[in-house]
Amino acid sequence: MTSERSTSAPRGPHRLSAEQATVRAAAALEAEGAGRDAATLQAAHLTEAELRGHTSHGLRRLPVLIERLRAGLIDPDAQPELRWTADATLRVDGRRGFGPLTAYAAIDALLQRSARTGVAVGALHHTHHLGMLAPYVERIAEAGCVGVVLSSTEGLVHPWGGSGALLGTNPLAVGVPVAQAPLTLDMSTGSVSAGKILDHLERGRPLPDGWAVDADGRPTRDPAEAVRGAISPFGGSKGYALGITLGAVVGVLTGTEFGLDVVGTLDAEHETTKGDVIIVLRIEAFGQPARSEGLAAYLERVRASGVDGTRVRIPGDRARQARADALADGFDVTDEVWEFLHRAAAAGSKA
Amino acid sequence: MTSERSTSAPRGPHRLSAEQATVRAAAALEAEGAGRDAATLQAAHLTEAELRGHTSHGLRRLPVLIERLRAGLIDPDAQPELRWTADATLRVDGRRGFGPLTAYAAIDALLQRSARTGVAVGALHHTHHLGMLAPYVERIAEAGCVGVVLSSTEGLVHPWGGSGALLGTNPLAVGVPVAQAPLTLDMSTGSVSAGKILDHLERGRPLPDGWAVDADGRPTRDPAEAVRGAISPFGGSKGYALGITLGAVVGVLTGTEFGLDVVGTLDAEHETTKGDVIIVLRIEAFGQPARSEGLAAYLERVRASGVDGTRVRIPGDRARQARADALADGFDVTDEVWEFLHRAAAAGSKA
């Protein structure tokens, strides 16, 4: 709800351009046996999250990707198996391949099919972490379609009124084409990411109210108790209801697991049992213009409605601005990411 | 998050059985020229909301339905026009007919088509108020499909950080088949209904924090200020983002209006310009069992996770219990509803 241009933070010691980041991360993946194209696609997707300021889905994920490659939990050469189970439903076996590779292959097939059917839905399993979801729904929106992506995740969130991390953060992304730039929703159904809880733990700072409960399901501001407990759903009982429902939809359509039986992609020991669903709705197939002028005008009106002359943000606005800034000026990475990229590049040059 | 059985409220002076309510409400609609079948379907849908304890979508809507019939804003004889615009996309012109009539006609067609296509989507316009959404997604779930219904509504909710009722309450309903009874999400993206604000105004009671803002977009606990202002989205910035996105999806797929240009169905003067979207996903078309045993077991585990031995509610549990109680014992209506039904029945018997 602030100014259009983000305030510039002090420049950190480790700054990268998008191209530098992608090249270095891809080299690290190639050094582990990934082919050039697959490595570049995966690296670019991590970089894309950095550009948008979503560092939790950025280059800090590279070490675990590499550990999982080494453990055989990712097959860098895998090509997904796509099978139309009905005229407009696509079952996608990722065959342990990189998430972005699988997702974009599914999206290409769904977009093509939707030209005839109007709507097409992909159900993905055996797929690695898709990473940030916004780029997928934006790809779909660029093609004149409404895009929806749902993923199940490992249990991190408690039921409303209950204890235990029985729900995933079960994110929802939606892209809607608009003349200038799409409307892009990309949200988790948790009140906060696990990373932010860990960040407070490391800094010894109490949590804000409403973020988490302890192991007994009681609200806590102690990050250590929160780690033993669970993250709270966003928006109270409604956010809980939304999260558990999205997890159920993903599970039933993909045949993957629910709740605590969902194994994610954060360790280097277990195959993931999560699922993803991708929906493509071709707007012109409904007899409507792909880019509604009415919607564009409405969104401008909402942007102008800010209290005290501020601009209101439409979903996607903040990330788009951050991306533009980072493409122009580069972005900072942590010591850990910087050193990891350097070590990986050095190892790669020896290989 | 409470006991399984609702505590019994004192019995009111005006109690009806489901059948009595449906018969009387249908008679009132028939007295205005509606045919027996259409009147009964509409009346049963209002009664269904009463049974589930959602009186805001119940019989109190009957007077405005009748005013709109008299004003020609509802055509009681209308049959919706269904047109497949692509293989799996259905454009539905409600032709000013009753909402439930249009919605069930669309659902029947979508269910049938989904046997071949796996997924089918309806985009509805010129349709009267669908009323409570849960019964629609439950009908879809009974047929072994995931059902989704989205509606746009008149502006009642402010943007996060902005002022003015620029967003509808844009509800979302999702039904997922489960062995015993479906999981049924039916939520608005506002923090509270307009009816509850008016109820506080009538009783002279201050609003809880977080419900509403005044005309300048500042939080208020004064219900009169809230009426001049707007309802807050549920869940802060995330709920806002979800609500504006759902409204955009409905508008672009149905070709109906956005935000303040959405005319709802609450007055007796204007044609509605809202839209509705219905999505049917046939689970077996994805190669999965229509009723997942894993999901049923997971939901039981969540129900058992309550703090202090309470049961946690799965979306739909509360309404299902209320419905069972009301089917057994009847339900109370207000003086206004009771008298309206009596007057309408008396007028009908003279006709």
Side-chain angles (χ1 to χ4, degrees), chain A residues 272-305:
Chain A
T272 178
T273 60
K274 59 95 185 170
D276 310 280
V277 170
I278 305 176
I279 304 175
V280 169
L281 296 142
R282 187 165 291 279
I283 299 170
E284 288 180 340
F286 289 84
Q288 304 304 325
R291 284 168 182 77
S292 158
E293 289 178 19
L295 177 58
Y298 167 60
L299 297 182
E300 275 309 305
R301 189 166 178 182
V302 172
R303 287 190 179 97
S305 74

Side-chain angles (χ1 to χ4, degrees), chain A residues 163-189:
Chain A
S163 65
L166 287 160
L167 278 69
T169 55
N170 301 351
L172 165 68
V174 181
V176 183
V178 187
Q180 306 299 323
L183 180 159
T184 309
L185 176 75
D186 183 2
M187 60 181 270
S188 129
T189 52

Side-chain angles (χ1 to χ4, degrees), chain B residues 6 24 32 46 71 86 132 155 226 256 273 287 289 323:
Chain B
S6 54
R24 291 186 197 180
E32 299 298 327
L46 298 175
M132 190 187 196
T256 56
T273 60
R323 187 177 194 276

Side-chain angles (χ1 to χ4, degrees), chain A residues 1 85 160 190 238 240 285, chain B residues 1 85 160 190 238 240 285 313:
Chain A
M1 323 305 107
T85 54
W160 192 245
K238 285 191 183 190
Y240 150 67
Chain B
M1 324 307 105
T85 54
W160 193 244
K238 285 191 181 189
Y240 150 67
R313 288 206 191 95

Side-chain angles (χ1 to χ4, degrees), chain A residues 167-170 189 234 238-248, chain B residues 185 298:
Chain A
L167 278 69
T169 55
N170 301 351
T189 52
F234 94 99
K238 285 191 183 190
Y240 150 67
L242 180 66
I244 195 169
T245 302
L246 295 179
Chain B
L185 177 75
Y298 167 60

